[in-house]
Amino acid sequence: MSRRISPVIPGFGLTLGYTLVYLSLLVLIPLGAMFVHASQLSWGEFWAVISAPRVLAALKLSFGTALAAALLNGVIGTLLAWVLVRYPFPGRKVIDAMIDLPFALPTAVAGIALTALYAPAGPVGQLAGEFGLKLAYTPLGIALALTFVTLPFVVRTLQPVLEDIPREIEEAAACLGANPWQTFRHVLLPALLPAWLTGFALAFARGIGEYGSVIFIAGNMPGKTEILPLLIMVKLDQYDYTGATSIGVLMLVVSFALLLPLNLLQRRIETP
Amino acid sequence: MSSITLSAAASANAARRGNALGRRLLIGAAWLVFAVFLLLPLYVVLSEALKLGFGTFFDALLEPDALSALTLTLLAVGVSVPLNLVFGLAAAWCVSKYEFPGKSLLVTLIDLPFSVSPVIAGLIYVLLFGAQGVFGEWLTEHDIQIVFALPGIVLATIFVTVPFVARELIPLMQEQGTQEEEAARLLGANGWQMFWHVTLPNIKWGLIYGVVLCTARAMGEFGAVSVVSGHIRGFTNTLPLHVEILYNEYNHVAAFSVASLLLLLALVILLLKQWSEARLSRLKSNAAEE
Amino acid sequence: MSIEIRNVSKRFGAFQALNDINLDIHSGELVALLGPSGCGKTTLLRIIAGLETPDAGSIAFHGEDVSGHDVRDRNVGFVFQHYALFRHMTVFDNVAFGLRMKPKRERPSEPVIAAKVHELLAMVQLDWLADRYPEQLSGGQRQRIALARALAVAPKILLLDEPFGALDAKVRKELRRWLARLHEEINLTSVFVTHDQEEAMEVADRIVVMNKGVIEQIGAPGEVYEHPASDFVYHFLGDSNRLQLGDGQILFRPHEVSLSREAVSEYHGAEVRDIRPLGAVTRVTLKVDGQDELVEAEVVKDHDSLVGLARGERLFIKPKASA
């Protein structure tokens, strides 16, 4: 039944076979093993692990800060994408190239750099302290770290879409009497929404699982500033594989439950 | 009538002034975000590293533990990137050149490691190969060490970087279509000749771009590697893990010195990325003109 | 080399692209596959080339069944609609590709390849472009390079998919005549696909009119135009008018009319709706009495009936031929 696009191009069996074997061995079977491991637990055991107050607090913290960071990125990412695509200005190329820094920079480096900045003695931390605001070792600091590591997602998904929207569309809207805000709201926003949602979802997913950049700035106080991935690490250090697996499964299930509707929504907007 | 024209012109001017003001505000805001979010961390890493001068800076880099961490990092990159390169080519080939049931599911699965926490990526290998894992007993009997050793670090690094090359190549190859390959076949090329002479040169820049991104992540991976490494100083520490150890020992200057080496590598990667991306977009705009 | 197509069918999912096609193409002939988009003409061309496998039926070249032959062994030249030039190779390397891909025993030496490439480039009159890349060429130049590349491996059959489709009108006309002349010189069996009836009429020895996966008619250009085998062929090969006569109707081309200012027997009264001078001819749009569908008539620009004619006036019209 499989119809090739062109029957004269060889390699279908070889490449598909290799892809499936590689993906199965390195990704699917190991991930499956975690679920198999978890399925050996009774529901009661599983529930006992994930309903512990420390786990629930970490769950709330991880998803809450990831959501806050994704939303913040939704705003500043849109701003950066807009300015980079629409306005020629000095330094544009440099900023454009440096947007990807958080992807290129090892997260541990980002983690200690942000901690040095946002700690009470650090330059930004001091400034915030004068306004009575504590950044490092608080959920706010975690959200800021996540904002840094996920900064490129929204910018990079919006940029190509913005570039493809012809200027004439804005000019046409202006000729029809729309003011800049109306043009943005009614003409540009609907066109940008699917890409924006994609960027948002990518940032959100990455934020939930992020570890390296967060553990330095978080302070890691159980129940207060301890994120879920760190809790898995803690359980592993105590050789509590049951606990680690249960939290891992919980994390995956909750993030897919959140990302799936987002994906569906995005597809629905894309195919009217 | 002239007054109407005048007021219309005036309001148009005002609108233009308003636009110019809004534009300046937006550009200013973008610069502010850039400076606070991207430049400041850069500055902090370098200034902390050089706080005690270049002597201590280089001492921290040339210390044996740092060098062995560098070697391990290069090794992990050297194994995982080529493997994921071959995988990316194979995956992009079957996805972009053929139609088959379950294709979109396959594409989703290729992307799966991006939505899995790196800590979970480490965890699953511990569950499989750790002392209490599925293969734990067998591995102990045969004296094979995977977790808390190099193989585990490589496996975890591969897991988190699986999608990079494939993700770059799939849209590129789908966009380029199959006509040039068909033309090559009609002109007598066999499968390998077609691949080497036609396909590979066409996807070269996308491939390089994917490899650059893959290298960046492989070099800097922290969470996944942290789980499977066991933190054995001088043996199973990669550069990012070495940074963590130094930092936790309150040896901040050394931590930031090693971090600035990683930062430097990151900047090189950004340059490479910029360069391959520019070549790629030129390729695309040429294709669009045809 | 002749091509014999026997009972070829092809379906893509639920779409029947070709339905039991039978066609003989004689050696040295230049044949056009003509039809609207989606009629199956490109699929048929790709099946002849071996780029597509038919679900049923067979293809034979000069009596030899090539259905099972790999695309490399069919030795056909193929020119793609968008040329499919290798974008990372120079014009020279593009043309040399087929020769360089030959197995070592058959491969000519580089100097022989170079001589052959320059000979081909000279034939398509683009020798001076040898070092350029495809992106630096105009559409018409790319087209001719694609042709030179296809001819480099000395094919017995040349297949062209919409060879003029991506060119602008003026270049198209020039290339069309050039291709017809070239075909006479090198005397290959050639098949080309087009949706443009004017192009088919001007270039081809024979036209195969296709619609919805079947062949409607095969014939010389004059034959299919003058004696269309079906309403579809009639409509597809040119503008047409319909005149209602009681229960029946007649079809006629805009130029197949007689016009008169005076009422004559057998002529139908009509009101002039529009007058368009088109150069050598003038087109008059008429509303014939008792019929809502408008009729177009084309007459030489100095025709008697046109003198001083204005919209809203009355004319009398009679179709010359009926189909």
Side-chain angles (χ1 to χ4, degrees), chain A residues 3 6 8-10 22 26 100 209 233, chain B residues 37 84 87 98-99 117 125 182 185 226 273:
Chain A
R3 181 176 95 72
S6 166
V8 301
I9 294 180
Y22 189 92
L26 285 160
D100 286 319
M233 285 293 254
Chain B
F37 272 94
N84 281 335
F87 166 75
Y98 309 97
E99 287 297 336
S117 171
Y125 289 113
E182 285 185 348
R185 294 281 286 141
S226 184
K273 189 192 137 289

mmCIF file with all atom_site columns, all heavy atoms in Angstrom, chain A residues 3 6 8-10 22 26 100 209 233, chain B residues 37 84 87 98-99 117 125 182 185 226 273:
data_model
loop_
_atom_site.group_PDB
_atom_site.id
_atom_site.type_symbol
_atom_site.label_atom_id
_atom_site.label_alt_id
_atom_site.label_comp_id
_atom_site.label_asym_id
_atom_site.label_entity_id
_atom_site.label_seq_id
_atom_site.pdbx_PDB_ins_code
_atom_site.Cartn_x
_atom_site.Cartn_y
_atom_site.Cartn_z
_atom_site.occupancy
_atom_site.B_iso_or_equiv
_atom_site.pdbx_formal_charge
_atom_site.auth_seq_id
_atom_site.auth_comp_id
_atom_site.auth_asym_id
_atom_site.auth_atom_id
_atom_site.pdbx_PDB_model_num
ATOM 1   N N   . ARG A 1 3   ? 2.914  3.957  -1.100  1.00 0.00 ? 3   ARG A N   1
ATOM 2   C CA  . ARG A 1 3   ? 3.243  4.507  -2.403  1.00 0.00 ? 3   ARG A CA  1
ATOM 3   C C   . ARG A 1 3   ? 4.423  5.430  -2.246  1.00 0.00 ? 3   ARG A C   1
ATOM 4   O O   . ARG A 1 3   ? 4.405  6.356  -1.462  1.00 0.00 ? 3   ARG A O   1
ATOM 5   C CB  . ARG A 1 3   ? 2.074  5.309  -2.963  1.00 0.00 ? 3   ARG A CB  1
ATOM 6   C CG  . ARG A 1 3   ? 2.376  5.868  -4.340  1.00 0.00 ? 3   ARG A CG  1
ATOM 7   C CD  . ARG A 1 3   ? 1.174  6.559  -4.903  1.00 0.00 ? 3   ARG A CD  1
ATOM 8   N NE  . ARG A 1 3   ? 1.184  7.987  -4.658  1.00 0.00 ? 3   ARG A NE  1
ATOM 9   C CZ  . ARG A 1 3   ? 1.995  8.817  -5.286  1.00 0.00 ? 3   ARG A CZ  1
ATOM 10  N NH1 . ARG A 1 3   ? 2.847  8.380  -6.164  1.00 0.00 ? 3   ARG A NH1 1
ATOM 11  N NH2 . ARG A 1 3   ? 1.946  10.106 -5.026  1.00 0.00 ? 3   ARG A NH2 1
ATOM 12  N N   . SER A 1 6   ? 8.559  8.623  -5.651  1.00 0.00 ? 6   SER A N   1
ATOM 13  C CA  . SER A 1 6   ? 9.140  8.265  -6.933  1.00 0.00 ? 6   SER A CA  1
ATOM 14  C C   . SER A 1 6   ? 9.749  6.878  -6.810  1.00 0.00 ? 6   SER A C   1
ATOM 15  O O   . SER A 1 6   ? 10.606 6.646  -5.979  1.00 0.00 ? 6   SER A O   1
ATOM 16  C CB  . SER A 1 6   ? 10.222 9.271  -7.320  1.00 0.00 ? 6   SER A CB  1
ATOM 17  O OG  . SER A 1 6   ? 10.974 8.738  -8.375  1.00 0.00 ? 6   SER A OG  1
ATOM 18  N N   . VAL A 1 8   ? 11.814 5.334  -8.553  1.00 0.00 ? 8   VAL A N   1
ATOM 19  C CA  . VAL A 1 8   ? 13.173 5.100  -9.046  1.00 0.00 ? 8   VAL A CA  1
ATOM 20  C C   . VAL A 1 8   ? 14.232 5.497  -8.025  1.00 0.00 ? 8   VAL A C   1
ATOM 21  O O   . VAL A 1 8   ? 15.407 5.349  -8.260  1.00 0.00 ? 8   VAL A O   1
ATOM 22  C CB  . VAL A 1 8   ? 13.444 5.843  -10.363 1.00 0.00 ? 8   VAL A CB  1
ATOM 23  C CG1 . VAL A 1 8   ? 12.469 5.394  -11.419 1.00 0.00 ? 8   VAL A CG1 1
ATOM 24  C CG2 . VAL A 1 8   ? 13.407 7.337  -10.173 1.00 0.00 ? 8   VAL A CG2 1
ATOM 25  N N   . ILE A 1 9   ? 13.814 6.042  -6.863  1.00 0.00 ? 9   ILE A N   1
ATOM 26  C CA  . ILE A 1 9   ? 14.793 6.456  -5.869  1.00 0.00 ? 9   ILE A CA  1
ATOM 27  C C   . ILE A 1 9   ? 14.971 5.349  -4.846  1.00 0.00 ? 9   ILE A C   1
ATOM 28  O O   . ILE A 1 9   ? 14.035 4.991  -4.153  1.00 0.00 ? 9   ILE A O   1
ATOM 29  C CB  . ILE A 1 9   ? 14.364 7.785  -5.228  1.00 0.00 ? 9   ILE A CB  1
ATOM 30  C CG1 . ILE A 1 9   ? 14.436 8.841  -6.320  1.00 0.00 ? 9   ILE A CG1 1
ATOM 31  C CG2 . ILE A 1 9   ? 15.261 8.151  -4.065  1.00 0.00 ? 9   ILE A CG2 1
ATOM 32  C CD1 . ILE A 1 9   ? 14.059 10.189 -5.885  1.00 0.00 ? 9   ILE A CD1 1
ATOM 33  N N   . PRO A 1 10  ? 16.170 4.773  -4.790  1.00 0.00 ? 10  PRO A N   1
ATOM 34  C CA  . PRO A 1 10  ? 16.378 3.595  -3.960  1.00 0.00 ? 10  PRO A CA  1
ATOM 35  C C   . PRO A 1 10  ? 16.632 3.955  -2.501  1.00 0.00 ? 10  PRO A C   1
ATOM 36  O O   . PRO A 1 10  ? 16.853 5.117  -2.164  1.00 0.00 ? 10  PRO A O   1
ATOM 37  C CB  . PRO A 1 10  ? 17.631 2.961  -4.570  1.00 0.00 ? 10  PRO A CB  1
ATOM 38  C CG  . PRO A 1 10  ? 18.381 4.111  -5.140  1.00 0.00 ? 10  PRO A CG  1
ATOM 39  C CD  . PRO A 1 10  ? 17.386 5.164  -5.522  1.00 0.00 ? 10  PRO A CD  1
ATOM 40  N N   . TYR A 1 22  ? 17.433 2.222  15.139  1.00 0.00 ? 22  TYR A N   1
ATOM 41  C CA  . TYR A 1 22  ? 18.185 3.198  15.930  1.00 0.00 ? 22  TYR A CA  1
ATOM 42  C C   . TYR A 1 22  ? 17.279 3.861  16.963  1.00 0.00 ? 22  TYR A C   1
ATOM 43  O O   . TYR A 1 22  ? 17.603 3.949  18.148  1.00 0.00 ? 22  TYR A O   1
ATOM 44  C CB  . TYR A 1 22  ? 18.762 4.240  14.978  1.00 0.00 ? 22  TYR A CB  1
ATOM 45  C CG  . TYR A 1 22  ? 19.740 5.231  15.571  1.00 0.00 ? 22  TYR A CG  1
ATOM 46  C CD1 . TYR A 1 22  ? 21.105 4.977  15.554  1.00 0.00 ? 22  TYR A CD1 1
ATOM 47  C CD2 . TYR A 1 22  ? 19.311 6.437  16.090  1.00 0.00 ? 22  TYR A CD2 1
ATOM 48  C CE1 . TYR A 1 22  ? 22.005 5.893  16.059  1.00 0.00 ? 22  TYR A CE1 1
ATOM 49  C CE2 . TYR A 1 22  ? 20.205 7.366  16.602  1.00 0.00 ? 22  TYR A CE2 1
ATOM 50  C CZ  . TYR A 1 22  ? 21.556 7.089  16.575  1.00 0.00 ? 22  TYR A CZ  1
ATOM 51  O OH  . TYR A 1 22  ? 22.452 8.001  17.067  1.00 0.00 ? 22  TYR A OH  1
ATOM 52  N N   . LEU A 1 26  ? 17.640 3.256  21.049  1.00 0.00 ? 26  LEU A N   1
ATOM 53  C CA  . LEU A 1 26  ? 18.169 4.341  21.871  1.00 0.00 ? 26  LEU A CA  1
ATOM 54  C C   . LEU A 1 26  ? 17.099 5.156  22.564  1.00 0.00 ? 26  LEU A C   1
ATOM 55  O O   . LEU A 1 26  ? 17.348 5.750  23.598  1.00 0.00 ? 26  LEU A O   1
ATOM 56  C CB  . LEU A 1 26  ? 19.039 5.254  21.010  1.00 0.00 ? 26  LEU A CB  1
ATOM 57  C CG  . LEU A 1 26  ? 20.393 4.628  20.704  1.00 0.00 ? 26  LEU A CG  1
ATOM 58  C CD1 . LEU A 1 26  ? 21.023 5.260  19.505  1.00 0.00 ? 26  LEU A CD1 1
ATOM 59  C CD2 . LEU A 1 26  ? 21.297 4.742  21.911  1.00 0.00 ? 26  LEU A CD2 1
ATOM 60  N N   . ASP A 1 100 ? 20.614 32.942 19.597  1.00 0.00 ? 100 ASP A N   1
ATOM 61  C CA  . ASP A 1 100 ? 20.770 31.512 19.805  1.00 0.00 ? 100 ASP A CA  1
ATOM 62  C C   . ASP A 1 100 ? 21.766 31.166 20.911  1.00 0.00 ? 100 ASP A C   1
ATOM 63  O O   . ASP A 1 100 ? 22.008 29.984 21.156  1.00 0.00 ? 100 ASP A O   1
ATOM 64  C CB  . ASP A 1 100 ? 21.208 30.836 18.509  1.00 0.00 ? 100 ASP A CB  1
ATOM 65  C CG  . ASP A 1 100 ? 20.071 30.743 17.523  1.00 0.00 ? 100 ASP A CG  1
ATOM 66  O OD1 . ASP A 1 100 ? 18.949 30.434 17.960  1.00 0.00 ? 100 ASP A OD1 1
ATOM 67  O OD2 . ASP A 1 100 ? 20.285 30.998 16.329  1.00 0.00 ? 100 ASP A OD2 1
ATOM 68  N N   . GLY A 1 209 ? 11.365 20.338 31.797  1.00 0.00 ? 209 GLY A N   1
ATOM 69  C CA  . GLY A 1 209 ? 12.412 19.338 32.014  1.00 0.00 ? 209 GLY A CA  1
ATOM 70  C C   . GLY A 1 209 ? 13.767 19.916 32.336  1.00 0.00 ? 209 GLY A C   1
ATOM 71  O O   . GLY A 1 209 ? 14.689 19.188 32.676  1.00 0.00 ? 209 GLY A O   1
ATOM 72  N N   . MET A 1 233 ? 16.684 13.358 40.735  1.00 0.00 ? 233 MET A N   1
ATOM 73  C CA  . MET A 1 233 ? 18.093 13.192 41.083  1.00 0.00 ? 233 MET A CA  1
ATOM 74  C C   . MET A 1 233 ? 18.249 12.803 42.541  1.00 0.00 ? 233 MET A C   1
ATOM 75  O O   . MET A 1 233 ? 19.021 11.889 42.874  1.00 0.00 ? 233 MET A O   1
ATOM 76  C CB  . MET A 1 233 ? 18.857 14.496 40.851  1.00 0.00 ? 233 MET A CB  1
ATOM 77  C CG  . MET A 1 233 ? 19.132 14.806 39.426  1.00 0.00 ? 233 MET A CG  1
ATOM 78  S SD  . MET A 1 233 ? 20.279 13.635 38.737  1.00 0.00 ? 233 MET A SD  1
ATOM 79  C CE  . MET A 1 233 ? 21.727 14.631 38.663  1.00 0.00 ? 233 MET A CE  1
ATOM 80  N N   . PHE B 2 37  ? 19.361 40.128 29.116  1.00 0.00 ? 37  PHE B N   1
ATOM 81  C CA  . PHE B 2 37  ? 19.226 38.675 29.093  1.00 0.00 ? 37  PHE B CA  1
ATOM 82  C C   . PHE B 2 37  ? 20.431 37.967 28.489  1.00 0.00 ? 37  PHE B C   1
ATOM 83  O O   . PHE B 2 37  ? 20.728 36.851 28.830  1.00 0.00 ? 37  PHE B O   1
ATOM 84  C CB  . PHE B 2 37  ? 17.954 38.264 28.352  1.00 0.00 ? 37  PHE B CB  1
ATOM 85  C CG  . PHE B 2 37  ? 16.762 38.208 29.246  1.00 0.00 ? 37  PHE B CG  1
ATOM 86  C CD1 . PHE B 2 37  ? 15.925 39.309 29.369  1.00 0.00 ? 37  PHE B CD1 1
ATOM 87  C CD2 . PHE B 2 37  ? 16.491 37.074 29.991  1.00 0.00 ? 37  PHE B CD2 1
ATOM 88  C CE1 . PHE B 2 37  ? 14.833 39.270 30.202  1.00 0.00 ? 37  PHE B CE1 1
ATOM 89  C CE2 . PHE B 2 37  ? 15.407 37.034 30.827  1.00 0.00 ? 37  PHE B CE2 1
ATOM 90  C CZ  . PHE B 2 37  ? 14.568 38.131 30.949  1.00 0.00 ? 37  PHE B CZ  1
ATOM 91  N N   . ASN B 2 84  ? 24.503 10.353 15.265  1.00 0.00 ? 84  ASN B N   1
ATOM 92  C CA  . ASN B 2 84  ? 23.257 11.064 15.004  1.00 0.00 ? 84  ASN B CA  1
ATOM 93  C C   . ASN B 2 84  ? 23.231 11.676 13.608  1.00 0.00 ? 84  ASN B C   1
ATOM 94  O O   . ASN B 2 84  ? 22.166 11.906 13.046  1.00 0.00 ? 84  ASN B O   1
ATOM 95  C CB  . ASN B 2 84  ? 23.025 12.152 16.057  1.00 0.00 ? 84  ASN B CB  1
ATOM 96  C CG  . ASN B 2 84  ? 22.491 11.561 17.344  1.00 0.00 ? 84  ASN B CG  1
ATOM 97  O OD1 . ASN B 2 84  ? 21.876 10.504 17.326  1.00 0.00 ? 84  ASN B OD1 1
ATOM 98  N ND2 . ASN B 2 84  ? 22.750 12.233 18.455  1.00 0.00 ? 84  ASN B ND2 1
ATOM 99  N N   . PHE B 2 87  ? 22.129 8.791  11.467  1.00 0.00 ? 87  PHE B N   1
ATOM 100 C CA  . PHE B 2 87  ? 20.704 8.596  11.736  1.00 0.00 ? 87  PHE B CA  1
ATOM 101 C C   . PHE B 2 87  ? 19.869 9.688  11.071  1.00 0.00 ? 87  PHE B C   1
ATOM 102 O O   . PHE B 2 87  ? 18.851 9.415  10.444  1.00 0.00 ? 87  PHE B O   1
ATOM 103 C CB  . PHE B 2 87  ? 20.425 8.606  13.247  1.00 0.00 ? 87  PHE B CB  1
ATOM 104 C CG  . PHE B 2 87  ? 18.979 8.741  13.584  1.00 0.00 ? 87  PHE B CG  1
ATOM 105 C CD1 . PHE B 2 87  ? 18.119 7.666  13.440  1.00 0.00 ? 87  PHE B CD1 1
ATOM 106 C CD2 . PHE B 2 87  ? 18.467 9.962  14.016  1.00 0.00 ? 87  PHE B CD2 1
ATOM 107 C CE1 . PHE B 2 87  ? 16.770 7.803  13.725  1.00 0.00 ? 87  PHE B CE1 1
ATOM 108 C CE2 . PHE B 2 87  ? 17.120 10.100 14.306  1.00 0.00 ? 87  PHE B CE2 1
ATOM 109 C CZ  . PHE B 2 87  ? 16.269 9.013  14.156  1.00 0.00 ? 87  PHE B CZ  1
ATOM 110 N N   . TYR B 2 98  ? 9.719  9.303  0.466   1.00 0.00 ? 98  TYR B N   1
ATOM 111 C CA  . TYR B 2 98  ? 8.692  8.283  0.289   1.00 0.00 ? 98  TYR B CA  1
ATOM 112 C C   . TYR B 2 98  ? 7.441  8.621  1.083   1.00 0.00 ? 98  TYR B C   1
ATOM 113 O O   . TYR B 2 98  ? 7.489  9.389  2.023   1.00 0.00 ? 98  TYR B O   1
ATOM 114 C CB  . TYR B 2 98  ? 9.208  6.910  0.745   1.00 0.00 ? 98  TYR B CB  1
ATOM 115 C CG  . TYR B 2 98  ? 10.525 6.524  0.143   1.00 0.00 ? 98  TYR B CG  1
ATOM 116 C CD1 . TYR B 2 98  ? 11.712 6.739  0.837   1.00 0.00 ? 98  TYR B CD1 1
ATOM 117 C CD2 . TYR B 2 98  ? 10.595 5.993  -1.135  1.00 0.00 ? 98  TYR B CD2 1
ATOM 118 C CE1 . TYR B 2 98  ? 12.937 6.402  0.274   1.00 0.00 ? 98  TYR B CE1 1
ATOM 119 C CE2 . TYR B 2 98  ? 11.814 5.665  -1.702  1.00 0.00 ? 98  TYR B CE2 1
ATOM 120 C CZ  . TYR B 2 98  ? 12.980 5.870  -1.000  1.00 0.00 ? 98  TYR B CZ  1
ATOM 121 O OH  . TYR B 2 98  ? 14.183 5.563  -1.566  1.00 0.00 ? 98  TYR B OH  1
ATOM 122 N N   . GLU B 2 99  ? 6.332  7.986  0.633   1.00 0.00 ? 99  GLU B N   1
ATOM 123 C CA  . GLU B 2 99  ? 5.091  8.058  1.393   1.00 0.00 ? 99  GLU B CA  1
ATOM 124 C C   . GLU B 2 99  ? 4.864  6.690  2.011   1.00 0.00 ? 99  GLU B C   1
ATOM 125 O O   . GLU B 2 99  ? 4.992  5.678  1.328   1.00 0.00 ? 99  GLU B O   1
ATOM 126 C CB  . GLU B 2 99  ? 3.912  8.370  0.464   1.00 0.00 ? 99  GLU B CB  1
ATOM 127 C CG  . GLU B 2 99  ? 3.860  9.799  -0.046  1.00 0.00 ? 99  GLU B CG  1
ATOM 128 C CD  . GLU B 2 99  ? 3.681  10.806 1.066   1.00 0.00 ? 99  GLU B CD  1
ATOM 129 O OE1 . GLU B 2 99  ? 3.147  10.426 2.127   1.00 0.00 ? 99  GLU B OE1 1
ATOM 130 O OE2 . GLU B 2 99  ? 4.097  11.954 0.869   1.00 0.00 ? 99  GLU B OE2 1
ATOM 131 N N   . SER B 2 117 ? 12.602 15.332 29.691  1.00 0.00 ? 117 SER B N   1
ATOM 132 C CA  . SER B 2 117 ? 13.606 15.987 30.530  1.00 0.00 ? 117 SER B CA  1
ATOM 133 C C   . SER B 2 117 ? 14.927 15.231 30.454  1.00 0.00 ? 117 SER B C   1
ATOM 134 O O   . SER B 2 117 ? 14.952 14.004 30.491  1.00 0.00 ? 117 SER B O   1
ATOM 135 C CB  . SER B 2 117 ? 13.117 16.031 31.973  1.00 0.00 ? 117 SER B CB  1
ATOM 136 O OG  . SER B 2 117 ? 14.171 16.470 32.803  1.00 0.00 ? 117 SER B OG  1
ATOM 137 N N   . TYR B 2 125 ? 18.455 5.066  31.351  1.00 0.00 ? 125 TYR B N   1
ATOM 138 C CA  . TYR B 2 125 ? 19.628 4.207  31.162  1.00 0.00 ? 125 TYR B CA  1
ATOM 139 C C   . TYR B 2 125 ? 20.086 3.598  32.481  1.00 0.00 ? 125 TYR B C   1
ATOM 140 O O   . TYR B 2 125 ? 20.598 2.481  32.507  1.00 0.00 ? 125 TYR B O   1
ATOM 141 C CB  . TYR B 2 125 ? 20.760 4.982  30.480  1.00 0.00 ? 125 TYR B CB  1
ATOM 142 C CG  . TYR B 2 125 ? 20.441 5.268  29.030  1.00 0.00 ? 125 TYR B CG  1
ATOM 143 C CD1 . TYR B 2 125 ? 20.231 6.558  28.587  1.00 0.00 ? 125 TYR B CD1 1
ATOM 144 C CD2 . TYR B 2 125 ? 20.330 4.222  28.123  1.00 0.00 ? 125 TYR B CD2 1
ATOM 145 C CE1 . TYR B 2 125 ? 19.919 6.813  27.264  1.00 0.00 ? 125 TYR B CE1 1
ATOM 146 C CE2 . TYR B 2 125 ? 20.021 4.456  26.805  1.00 0.00 ? 125 TYR B CE2 1
ATOM 147 C CZ  . TYR B 2 125 ? 19.810 5.762  26.371  1.00 0.00 ? 125 TYR B CZ  1
ATOM 148 O OH  . TYR B 2 125 ? 19.500 5.993  25.085  1.00 0.00 ? 125 TYR B OH  1
ATOM 149 N N   . GLU B 2 182 ? 15.760 12.149 -9.660  1.00 0.00 ? 182 GLU B N   1
ATOM 150 C CA  . GLU B 2 182 ? 15.204 11.433 -10.808 1.00 0.00 ? 182 GLU B CA  1
ATOM 151 C C   . GLU B 2 182 ? 16.032 11.695 -12.061 1.00 0.00 ? 182 GLU B C   1
ATOM 152 O O   . GLU B 2 182 ? 16.320 10.774 -12.841 1.00 0.00 ? 182 GLU B O   1
ATOM 153 C CB  . GLU B 2 182 ? 13.753 11.866 -11.056 1.00 0.00 ? 182 GLU B CB  1
ATOM 154 C CG  . GLU B 2 182 ? 12.777 11.301 -10.066 1.00 0.00 ? 182 GLU B CG  1
ATOM 155 C CD  . GLU B 2 182 ? 11.341 11.649 -10.400 1.00 0.00 ? 182 GLU B CD  1
ATOM 156 O OE1 . GLU B 2 182 ? 11.111 12.515 -11.276 1.00 0.00 ? 182 GLU B OE1 1
ATOM 157 O OE2 . GLU B 2 182 ? 10.443 11.067 -9.802  1.00 0.00 ? 182 GLU B OE2 1
ATOM 158 N N   . ARG B 2 185 ? 19.100 9.626  -11.994 1.00 0.00 ? 185 ARG B N   1
ATOM 159 C CA  . ARG B 2 185 ? 18.834 8.213  -12.305 1.00 0.00 ? 185 ARG B CA  1
ATOM 160 C C   . ARG B 2 185 ? 18.630 8.032  -13.801 1.00 0.00 ? 185 ARG B C   1
ATOM 161 O O   . ARG B 2 185 ? 19.138 7.081  -14.395 1.00 0.00 ? 185 ARG B O   1
ATOM 162 C CB  . ARG B 2 185 ? 17.591 7.738  -11.541 1.00 0.00 ? 185 ARG B CB  1
ATOM 163 C CG  . ARG B 2 185 ? 17.760 7.710  -10.050 1.00 0.00 ? 185 ARG B CG  1
ATOM 164 C CD  . ARG B 2 185 ? 18.526 6.500  -9.573  1.00 0.00 ? 185 ARG B CD  1
ATOM 165 N NE  . ARG B 2 185 ? 17.733 5.292  -9.646  1.00 0.00 ? 185 ARG B NE  1
ATOM 166 C CZ  . ARG B 2 185 ? 18.184 4.113  -10.020 1.00 0.00 ? 185 ARG B CZ  1
ATOM 167 N NH1 . ARG B 2 185 ? 19.443 3.992  -10.391 1.00 0.00 ? 185 ARG B NH1 1
ATOM 168 N NH2 . ARG B 2 185 ? 17.403 3.055  -10.054 1.00 0.00 ? 185 ARG B NH2 1
ATOM 169 N N   . SER B 2 226 ? 24.776 14.039 33.991  1.00 0.00 ? 226 SER B N   1
ATOM 170 C CA  . SER B 2 226 ? 24.928 14.108 35.439  1.00 0.00 ? 226 SER B CA  1
ATOM 171 C C   . SER B 2 226 ? 24.368 12.835 36.099  1.00 0.00 ? 226 SER B C   1
ATOM 172 O O   . SER B 2 226 ? 24.963 12.286 37.020  1.00 0.00 ? 226 SER B O   1
ATOM 173 C CB  . SER B 2 226 ? 24.206 15.353 35.949  1.00 0.00 ? 226 SER B CB  1
ATOM 174 O OG  . SER B 2 226 ? 24.398 15.505 37.321  1.00 0.00 ? 226 SER B OG  1
ATOM 175 N N   . LYS B 2 273 ? 27.348 28.445 13.062  1.00 0.00 ? 273 LYS B N   1
ATOM 176 C CA  . LYS B 2 273 ? 25.924 28.329 12.792  1.00 0.00 ? 273 LYS B CA  1
ATOM 177 C C   . LYS B 2 273 ? 25.473 29.455 11.865  1.00 0.00 ? 273 LYS B C   1
ATOM 178 O O   . LYS B 2 273 ? 24.783 29.238 10.880  1.00 0.00 ? 273 LYS B O   1
ATOM 179 C CB  . LYS B 2 273 ? 25.161 28.411 14.108  1.00 0.00 ? 273 LYS B CB  1
ATOM 180 C CG  . LYS B 2 273 ? 23.720 28.092 13.989  1.00 0.00 ? 273 LYS B CG  1
ATOM 181 C CD  . LYS B 2 273 ? 23.011 28.468 15.252  1.00 0.00 ? 273 LYS B CD  1
ATOM 182 C CE  . LYS B 2 273 ? 21.720 29.132 14.952  1.00 0.00 ? 273 LYS B CE  1
ATOM 183 N NZ  . LYS B 2 273 ? 21.706 30.431 14.415  1.00 0.00 ? 273 LYS B NZ  1
#
